[in-house]
Amino acid sequence: MTIPETNNGSAAIPLSGRHDFEAIARWVKPGTRVLDLGCGDGSLLKHLTEIRGVRGYGVDIDVENIVACIGNGVNVIQGDLESGLSGFEDGSFDYVILSQTLQAMKHTEGIVREMLRVGREGIVSFPNFGFWRHRIQILLGHMPVTKNLPYQWFDTPNVHLCTIDDFEAFCAQHGVRILQRMVMSNGDAVSRLPNLLGTLAVYRIESRR
Amino acid sequence: MTSHPTHEPGSVGAVTPRTAHFDRPLTFRSGAVLDAYDLVYETYGTLNERRSNAVLVCHALNASHHVAGYHADNPKNVGWWDNVIGPGKPLDTNRFFVVGVNNLGGCHGSTGPSSPNPATGKPYGADFPVVTVEDWVEAQARLADHLGIERFAAVMGGSLGGMQALQWTISHPGRIRHALVIAAAPKLTAQNIAFNEVARQAIITDPDFHGGHYYEHGVKPKRGLRVARMIGHITYLSDDVMATRFGRALRSGDYNFGFDVEFEIESYLRYQGEKFAGYFDANTYLLITRALDYFDPAKDFDGDLNRALATAEAGFLVVSFSSDWRFAPERSRAIVEALLHNDHDVTYAEISASAGHDSFLMDDAHYHAVVRAYLSKIDLG
């Protein structure tokens, strides 16, 4: 399987320090309907609304984020992603985004299935556990702590970390087709040895129906 | 005037209710016609030049037009939503012009069952038309006309008040920019109707009820009203809050082996019932619980709430409370789902709160932050 790489050669402009936001903004077509899961303060949706004119809704569990989203003028639904997306109709969004949240979910299979039920396409980003610095720290006998994985083993919210290869194997096993991939390191696109050199991976996926 | 010590800064201060008289007949959903009627209301803040900053606050079962501030002749009579409304409060009267109205059929001054029926010269009593949420909204729209408000910046309310806000978006989509639907539901469940029916039966079977014409007998069905209020009150609180506040605490410290008040919760319920029966009208209680039962905007659309809300133009804030079992969060989520289906602007907050249905009246920091943030984003241009 060949996966189209997105590499326009230019350094991504960091938005709130989130390098994946620019990749996502490039992929989302103007005027589409977007659901952002784990939307935080709504800055991605606000950005997408401003530059792509999307019709967006966020989902977040934290009431402080609900208040922040309102302040950002973003529609937001308070809810727990772990219990699924039962309030959302099949195929009711063009894109369902899960930005750096997959690794913190308990029900990984469930949320990916739900994303692709509700959205025609899913956009997923996650920190690449296979990044070489992570590997070295493990070889030296420690759980990795880096800029991209800033937590200690005992206080990390990340319960399901994976490598790029792991995620692609997961997709193959779960009927998920990868439409596009962007691997980054500190905001720069990585095309060579992505599973070793990439810190962050962003995928556009759909259900293999 | 020296301010009363019980009123913290941020109160709208002393307020005076006003009465608007309407001569144009109002046809109720039932077909009944009220030829003329009064609506009692209060306002706080100033209507701006563009008349774009008006917010209508709708009341629930036992409340009234007295939403904020206090009455000069009775400084203890503080408005029922005073913690939300005032200068610098979540509904900021420095920015908004706030209208509170006593609904038709009420017992706080607007025309209701205790008002004289022009046909007989006696109080309407049981002859007052059965009123629905739609009828209230029509009457409120006429009050808006009277006040020169073409379009509300927002209509908001909790519980039955939230249902009125929801109905506004359906009845008058062009006259409401935002709806704040708090601790509400798109319709009652069978269990909810059942609670209302027990309350009504308590009133109707009171020997002092006299078929609703008790005014002429110089009595009130107070026993029935007390029981009705006690039942209602149980459903407004959560099991947790009752356990925390009362538990199994005994009044005298030990059992007395009788049926007088033994447990603190009994004392509390009796007190609430007694207080309520002192000021509330039994016919109004029947009417309002029936309006709750009948509320079902999807009914005219084959039960499809999606279609009922299709023509709404407002932006929505929907809020529910985790411990509310009378109008549980899933009831609010049903509203949200219909709004999402229609691609309407909606924000939904599910507040962690222990006080049950009454949480919407409580001073909860997260809840008030959500309401404040939403209202402050409303563009008055």
Side-chain angles (χ1 to χ4, degrees):
Chain A
M1 183 183 68
T2 54
I3 300 159
E5 288 281 355
T6 297
N7 183 358
N8 63 3
S10 69
I13 306 145
L15 182 79
S16 315
R18 295 284 289 267
H19 296 306
D20 52 337
F21 283 11
E22 278 309 314
I24 293 168
R26 265 200 293 275
W27 286 345
V28 168
K29 294 201 179 88
T32 49
R33 204 162 183 251
V34 176
L35 183 65
D36 184 10
L37 305 178
C39 63
D41 66 2
S43 47
L44 174 60
L45 276 174
K46 188 179 181 210
H47 184 60
L48 291 175
T49 307
E50 282 165 5
I51 70 159
R52 290 283 180 266
V54 302
R55 191 82 193 110
Y57 298 87
V59 178
D60 208 279
I61 193 170
D62 181 359
V63 69
E64 316 240 339
N65 281 334
I66 304 302
V67 174
C69 283
I70 296 171
N72 275 322
V74 166
N75 288 317
V76 62
I77 310 297
Q78 191 172 5
D80 182 3
L81 299 179
E82 298 289 7
S83 51
L85 301 174
S86 59
F88 297 92
E89 294 169 349
D90 294 1
S92 53
F93 286 87
D94 296 302
Y95 304 97
V96 177
I97 298 172
L98 191 65
S99 167
Q100 300 203 45
T101 303
L102 184 73
Q103 77 281 356
M105 296 278 310
K106 275 188 220 134
H107 301 102
T108 314
E109 293 167 296
I111 196 63
V112 172
R113 191 170 51 238
E114 280 286 85
M115 281 179 81
L116 297 180
R117 174 183 69 78
V118 170
R120 291 196 302 106
E121 289 184 10
I123 297 177
V124 179
S125 71
F126 57 86
N128 175 30
F129 200 72
F131 179 54
W132 65 275
R133 284 186 191 276
H134 301 155
R135 299 190 193 197
I136 285 178
Q137 291 191 30
I138 289 179
L139 275 177
L140 293 174
H142 291 286
M143 284 298 283
V145 179
T146 63
K147 221 181 337 174
N148 296 285
L149 292 175
Y151 303 99
Q152 294 286 345
W153 65 271
F154 50 83
D155 67 3
T156 181
N158 298 327
V159 292
H160 280 148
L161 287 159
C162 69
T163 70
I164 285 172
D165 289 355
D166 288 335
F167 181 73
E168 291 179 9
F170 170 90
C171 290
Q173 286 159 12
H174 289 80
V176 174
R177 178 183 291 120
I178 295 170
L179 299 168
Q180 212 167 356
R181 181 181 78 181
M182 168 109 180
V183 177
M184 285 182 282
S185 175
N186 299 318
D188 296 322
V190 173
S191 49
R192 216 162 42 86
L193 299 173
N195 199 31
L196 194 65
L197 301 180
T199 57
L200 183 67
V202 196
Y203 287 86
R204 202 156 64 78
I205 58 178
E206 69 176 7
S207 180
R208 203 188 285 278
R209 273 183 287 246
Chain B
M1 190 187 109
T2 53
S3 67
H4 194 275
T6 58
H7 302 293
E8 33 181 293
S11 168
V12 296
V15 295
T16 311
R18 270 172 284 181
T19 303
H21 181 73
F22 298 86
D23 278 325
R24 190 154 62 92
L26 183 71
T27 304
F28 285 39
R29 196 182 152 139
S30 67
V33 179
L34 211 53
D35 286 328
Y37 54 93
D38 290 339
L39 290 176
V40 172
Y41 66 98
E42 289 180 4
T43 67
Y44 326 113
T46 311
L47 188 61
N48 64 12
E49 211 161 290
R50 303 176 56 123
R51 299 171 182 267
S52 65
N53 68 334
V55 175
L56 175 67
V57 177
C58 304
H59 69 76
L61 214 166
N62 64 318
S64 70
H65 54 280
H66 183 37
V67 183
Y70 57 92
H71 289 161
D73 60 352
N74 181 9
K76 282 189 179 159
N77 187 3
V78 175
W80 60 270
W81 223 355
D82 193 72
N83 60 13
V84 165
I85 299 155
K89 288 184 180 171
L91 176 50
D92 189 346
T93 49
N94 290 327
R95 185 160 183 257
F96 291 105
F97 175 66
V98 178
V99 181
V101 58
N102 184 215
N103 282 324
L104 277 179
C107 55
H108 292 95
S110 293
T111 301
S114 56
S115 311
N117 180 349
T120 63
K122 291 188 220 163
Y124 281 100
D127 298 331
F128 193 87
V130 170
V131 65
T132 64
V133 170
E134 292 96 314
D135 302 328
W136 284 335
V137 167
E138 282 318 304
Q140 290 162 1
R142 291 189 181 186
L143 179 66
D145 295 339
H146 172 81
L147 295 171
I149 299 160
E150 171 51 33
R151 195 178 187 204
F152 281 108
V155 178
M156 67 188 282
S159 190
L160 177 57
M163 293 170 168
Q164 291 160 60
L166 189 62
Q167 185 62 45
W168 261 93
T169 70
I170 298 167
S171 296
H172 296 286
R175 298 193 68 178
I176 166 175
R177 296 177 64 167
H178 293 272
L180 284 78
V181 180
I182 300 169
K187 62 184 173 196
L188 295 200
T189 60
Q191 188 192 47
N192 264 309
I193 296 169
F195 282 122
N196 285 345
E197 173 57 7
V198 175
R200 281 190 296 266
Q201 283 300 316
I203 291 168
I204 290 167
T205 57
D206 186 320
D208 286 336
F209 183 63
H210 296 287
H213 294 286
Y214 44 87
Y215 314 98
E216 319 164 19
H217 294 80
V219 291
K220 285 177 168 186
K222 279 194 165 188
R223 281 163 292 188
L225 260 177
R226 277 198 292 264
V227 175
R229 181 58 172 170
M230 287 165 84
I231 292 157
H233 217 86
I234 296 166
T235 70
Y236 306 147
L237 299 176
S238 66
D239 193 18
D240 277 353
V241 84
M242 270 202 201
T244 312
R245 213 186 288 173
F246 308 103
R248 291 181 52 85
L250 291 159
R251 287 222 87 183
S252 63
D254 203 353
Y255 294 166
N256 289 310
F257 302 98
F259 298 101
D260 278 341
V261 169
E262 288 277 83
F263 294 91
E264 288 290 357
I265 181 63
E266 295 175 305
S267 164
Y268 174 76
L269 285 177
R270 287 194 193 193
Y271 169 76
Q272 291 294 337
E274 190 62 37
K275 194 172 75 167
F276 187 70
Y279 75 84
F280 210 81
D281 180 68
N283 282 316
T284 292
Y285 200 90
L286 299 183
L287 287 172
I288 296 187
T289 54
R290 196 47 113 192
L292 270 163
D293 294 353
Y294 281 160
F295 182 69
D296 181 8
K299 186 170 179 287
D300 293 337
F301 299 87
D302 304 322
D304 187 349
L305 189 62
N306 292 345
R307 279 173 54 209
L309 287 167
T311 54
E313 295 171 21
F316 287 80
L317 174 66
V318 180
V319 180
S320 72
F321 299 92
S322 57
S323 57
D324 183 354
W325 57 278
R326 183 90 198 229
F327 293 157
E330 52 260 38
R331 315 307 321 289
S332 284
R333 284 200 293 266
I335 298 171
V336 172
E337 286 164 21
L339 296 171
L340 283 170
H341 175 86
N342 285 297
D343 211 19
H344 293 320
D345 282 322
V346 53
T347 281
Y348 171 61
E350 195 169 305
I351 304 295
S352 282
S354 62
H357 186 56
D358 269 354
S359 296
F360 85 90
L361 296 167
M362 305 292 165
D363 200 353
D364 179 286
H366 285 140
Y367 162 42
H368 283 187
V370 166
V371 172
R372 178 189 294 276
Y374 191 87
L375 288 168
S376 67
K377 284 300 278 189
I378 294 180
D379 177 12
L380 302 179

